[in-house]
Amino acid sequence: MKKQSIIPLLAMLALFLLVSYQPHPSLITLQNAFPFLSFSRPVELTYPPDGSNRLFVIEQEGKIRFFENNPSTKNTSVYLDIKHKVSSEGEMGLLGLAFHPNFKQNGYFYVNYTKRKPLETIIARYKASSSSARSVDPATETILLKIAQPYDNHNGGKIAFGPDGMLYISTGDGGAWGDQHNNSQNKASLLGKILRIDVNKTDKGYYGIPADNPFVGNKEGFQEEIFAYGLRNPWRFSFDAKTGKIWTGDVGQNEFEEINIIQKGGNYGWRLKEANRCYNPRKDCESGNSLIAPIHFYPRTDGVSVTGGYVYQGTAQPTLQGKYIFGDFSNGHIWALSFKNNQKTDLQLLTTQGGNVSAFGEDAKGELYILEHANGSIKKISK
């Protein structure tokens, strides 16, 4: 074939490829919510119930910073520094923060962090001298709960107070691969669970067991703190501000990422199943088990590390109201899931530009923020 005849063919091929390539459309744009601020490996954003218009951000290495919720804010203050207590390699670190519903009166807030020697997850309470204090003494720590960890990954890490005033805690299956110790299905273990405790009681030391927890008073040796089980690594969960329903993103093994609506006493399948497929055993995994299916799951071709978000109840983005917004840490995808009666009705890919989405956060008005782990920015959705 002559050289002259090859050139038109190459041109036609290039035109075909150009026409056939359809990039993911962005239905939203993201902008830096606080352009003068940057954080080191941020993993959580929340606010205290004190009317102060402050936002608090956790840095994975062991610091909590706060700042005024204003786009022109130029400085942050260190609220708590417990780097000397925290091991923050890989998936470890200071991972969760929750303010007591009566924080304005008692100054209590709670954290979830990991440490070594021994390898443990720690749920601890700290006390501010007043709700307006600008820093907190690390010596005010009171440890509520220690959870031994066999490995240093799959730590869960989220803590939050529910509308019932109870403290909810997410724990991973203990790490490594395939839940080798079957922790998630073992109700004698606190791993691979959503836990629920009453921090205003003292029957377990510095907390108590809510009277309506599903395994209260059992004779089988089940942990009474368990609220739900069968989870692999529920990194981030949240409460729908209108309905109180608990939504969690559960990071998958090697095939699927899951979104689950958590029910009291529910079994979410891991390690028996990953999403809708048997994992261990490879068949007949539901025999004798009542497993709750995820409301949504997606294959590893769409992302490999789900980051649970929030049902949006803010006012700045009316088209997103009532939709569950979540993302994926690995590729920056952010989706909006529509639902009715706990069933998915639609899914929209909003953008692929989220970066390393480590967490979503809400402010006191229900507006949504996206934490970008790698560059330390906090983003918000704009049209």
Side-chain angles (χ1 to χ4, degrees):
M1 184 178 292
K2 294 181 180 180
K3 184 176 181 181
Q4 297 94 307
S5 63
I6 294 176
I7 294 174
L9 287 174
L10 291 176
M12 291 177 62
L13 177 60
L15 179 62
F16 171 78
L17 291 173
L18 181 65
V19 172
S20 62
Y21 173 64
Q22 297 292 332
H24 289 296
S26 287
L27 301 181
I28 61 168
T29 57
L30 299 176
Q31 66 182 59
N32 196 330
F34 306 100
F36 301 106
L37 303 182
S38 182
F39 299 87
S40 174
R41 295 192 292 162
V43 294
E44 181 74 297
L45 179 149
T46 188
Y47 66 94
D50 62 359
S52 66
N53 195 39
R54 293 181 297 173
L55 291 177
F56 287 69
V57 169
I58 289 180
E59 294 180 326
Q60 189 175 344
E61 66 180 359
K63 287 184 180 180
I64 299 173
R65 296 182 178 273
F66 76 91
F67 56 96
E68 183 184 0
N69 186 5
N70 186 316
S72 63
T73 297
K74 294 185 178 180
N75 297 294
T76 68
S77 297
V78 176
Y79 190 64
L80 180 71
D81 184 347
I82 55 171
K83 286 194 303 181
H84 64 290
K85 296 177 180 286
V86 173
S87 295
S88 61
E89 308 89 357
E91 296 178 17
M92 302 178 71
L94 178 57
L95 305 177
L97 167 65
F99 290 92
H100 193 286
N102 294 325
F103 170 75
K104 193 170 183 178
Q105 290 73 41
N106 61 29
Y108 288 155
F109 63 96
Y110 301 79
V111 300
N112 182 330
Y113 67 87
T114 56
K115 59 175 283 293
R116 295 187 184 274
K117 298 181 181 179
L119 190 61
E120 292 175 320
T121 284
I122 303 293
I123 308 300
R125 183 186 73 201
Y126 287 86
K127 182 174 173 57
S129 58
S130 71
S131 63
S132 60
R134 296 187 62 82
S135 63
V136 173
D137 185 349
T140 64
E141 180 182 69
T142 298
I143 294 178
L144 278 66
L145 186 60
K146 295 181 178 181
I147 304 172
Q149 294 282 2
Y151 308 103
D152 61 7
N153 60 338
H154 302 183
N155 301 299
K158 174 75 175 184
I159 56 174
F161 282 94
D164 56 4
M166 302 295 120
L167 183 65
Y168 292 74
I169 304 161
S170 69
T171 65
D173 64 8
W177 185 270
D179 193 6
Q180 298 172 17
H181 304 289
N182 199 27
N183 289 315
S184 293
Q185 289 298 313
N186 179 8
K187 294 188 285 294
S189 169
L190 294 176
L191 297 173
K193 312 294 192 297
I194 300 293
L195 311 178
R196 178 178 181 250
I197 63 175
D198 187 342
V199 300
N200 298 314
K201 293 174 121 181
T202 57
D203 49 291
K204 298 277 284 189
Y206 293 101
Y207 71 93
I209 303 297
D212 61 340
N213 268 15
F215 303 114
V216 166
N218 75 88
K219 305 300 183 184
E220 292 87 355
F222 301 160
Q223 299 285 352
E224 294 183 315
E225 290 88 348
I226 295 171
F227 185 78
Y229 63 107
L231 297 159
R232 183 177 180 271
N233 191 22
W235 162 241
R236 286 295 175 253
F237 68 86
S238 66
F239 295 89
D240 184 332
K242 284 193 174 180
T243 67
K245 288 181 179 178
I246 308 168
W247 290 73
T248 189
D250 194 14
V251 181
Q253 177 67 45
N254 54 13
E255 287 193 279
F256 300 108
E257 304 294 305
E258 296 185 19
I259 301 294
N260 291 290
I261 300 178
I262 302 298
Q263 300 175 25
K264 183 170 71 174
N267 182 353
Y268 290 84
W270 179 249
R271 69 180 184 180
L272 298 169
K273 293 183 75 173
E274 183 182 10
N276 66 344
R277 292 188 186 175
C278 288
Y279 180 81
N280 185 0
R282 285 297 183 184
K283 61 180 181 179
D284 299 327
C285 57
E286 293 200 54
S287 178
N289 297 290
S290 180
L291 308 181
I292 299 175
I295 185 173
H296 173 66
F297 61 90
Y298 60 93
R300 281 296 176 98
T301 52
D302 291 344
V304 302
S305 184
V306 66
T307 299
Y310 287 81
V311 176
Y312 180 67
Q313 303 293 3
T315 59
Q317 306 296 334
T319 60
L320 297 179
Q321 281 187 348
K323 297 180 180 181
Y324 179 69
I325 312 301
F326 68 99
D328 194 283
F329 179 83
S330 71
N331 59 15
H333 288 196
I334 296 176
W335 294 272
L337 189 156
S338 301
F339 58 94
K340 185 176 182 180
N341 299 326
N342 291 3
Q343 298 294 320
K344 179 178 69 176
T345 58
D346 191 27
L347 184 73
Q348 297 170 289
L349 177 60
L350 299 178
T351 182
T352 62
Q353 303 302 310
N356 295 126
V357 183
S358 60
F360 293 80
E362 277 186 325
D363 65 17
K365 295 181 180 179
E367 297 304 335
L368 197 62
Y369 300 87
I370 298 108
L371 276 62
E372 213 284 332
H373 193 256
N375 69 20
S377 66
I378 299 174
K379 301 173 183 179
K380 65 179 181 180
I381 295 169
S382 63
K383 291 292 184 183

